[in-house]
Amino acid sequence: MKVAEQFFPIPDYDLSSTLNGGQAFRWRFVDGMWHGIIGEHWVRLKQVEGGILAQASAQTTDWQWLRDYLQLDVDLAGILRTFPSDDPALQEAVRCCRGLRLVRQDPWECLASFILSSTKQIVQIQQIVALICERFGKPLAAPEDTKIFSFPSAERLAACTEQELRDCKMGFRAPNLLKTARMVASGEINLFGLHHVTMEEARNELIKCPGVGRKIADCVLLFAYGFPQAFPIDVWILKALRQLYFPKRKPTTHKLIRFSETHFGPNAGYAQQYLFHYMRTRPQITLK
DNA sequence: CTCCAGGCGCCTT
DNA sequence: AAGGCGCATGGA
C-alpha cells in the first residue's frame, strides 16, 4: 500500500484521551494506530516520541485539514495557565491526563452525533454513528480492502424515512435527527453562519433544533465552533462539580452553569474536558 | 433481574 | 423556578 506520511512535532498531545474521550465518535485504535475519517480524508495517527506520525492517501501533499482538526497550533500550556490556580481538583485532573486536547470538528457531524448521544454510552454512540455512515455516507477511496464512508450529509439524512434511521438503533432520537437534518438541508438553520456570531447567538440557533438543548448545543459550540468558554454539563460533570465544589449542598444545573462561567476562566471548555476525562477514568480516586 | 447511559421536552407543583 | 417522568436500546 502506498501512503503519504508526515511527522508533526508537538509536545503534550495525547491521542488516546483526545480521540477516544467522547468528543468525536469515529476513531478506532487498530494495531497501535488511531484510524479515522476527517471530511473525505482517511487518516491514521500514531503517538511517537516528540509528536504525531500521520498517514493518509498517497496523493496527500497539503496537510492543513489535519492540522486544523487536531488544532496543532493551539498553545496548550498557555491555556492551562488560564485555569484557576487555587483549584487542586482541576490541577489534579490536568496532571492526570496531560496532553488531552480539543479537536475541531465539522459542525454538522458534531451536531448530528450529539443528537444521538443523549442517554447513550459512548460505545453505543460510536456504533450508531458507524451504522449511519455505512448506510448513508459516501464510499471513500480506502487503503487496502477496508471499506470507509464519509459522515452522511444533512441532505442525505433528510431524504431518509424515520424507520430507516430507527433501524440504525437510535430509538427515540430518530425523529430528532431527521427533523434537524431537514432544517439544515433546507437552510432553515445555517450552520456556516454560526462561525460569525457570538456564542450566545449561536447557541440560540442550535437550540431551535429538536433534540438539542443546552448541553448538546454547548458540545457543538465547544467541539465544532471552538468557543473555548462553552461548558457542557452532562451527568458526569454534574457529579464532578457537586462533589468537588459543593459537597454539602446540591446545586441545580442552572446554578452550576453560573459557577462555571465565573470559576474556570476563558477556557472553561478545556477545564470541562479535563474534569470529564478525569471522572470517567478515575472515578474511584478522591471522588467516590 | 435492575440500573443507567456525554438529555430533551413536556408535564406538574 | 424546580422537580418528575417517558422516551428506545443495550451494557454493566
Side-chain angles (χ1 to χ4, degrees), chain A residues 71-140:
Chain A
Q71 293 283 285
L72 295 181
D73 296 323
V74 162
D75 172 18
L76 181 62
I79 286 172
L80 297 181
R81 280 197 293 275
T82 69
F83 286 1
S85 55
D86 58 344
D87 185 337
L90 179 59
Q91 298 299 333
E92 168 63 16
V94 170
R95 268 195 302 279
C96 161
C97 35
R98 195 166 184 96
L100 171 59
R101 303 276 187 144
L102 293 181
V103 297
R104 182 66 56 87
Q105 302 180 51
D106 171 71
W108 164 245
E109 176 171 342
C110 188
L111 175 61
S113 298
F114 276 95
I115 285 173
L116 299 174
S117 76
S118 77
T119 55
K120 277 290 179 197
Q121 298 181 79
I122 289 174
V123 180
Q124 293 177 300
I125 302 166
Q126 292 168 335
Q127 290 169 352
I128 298 170
V129 168
L131 277 175
I132 63 173
C133 290
E134 281 171 30
R135 295 184 184 180
F136 309 116
K138 182 170 134 190
L140 303 176

Side-chain angles (χ1 to χ4, degrees), chain A residues 38-51:
Chain A
I38 298 172
E40 300 197 350
H41 302 275
W42 67 266
V43 63
R44 293 175 174 178
L45 304 175
K46 186 178 177 67
Q47 188 89 55
V48 295
E49 181 68 30

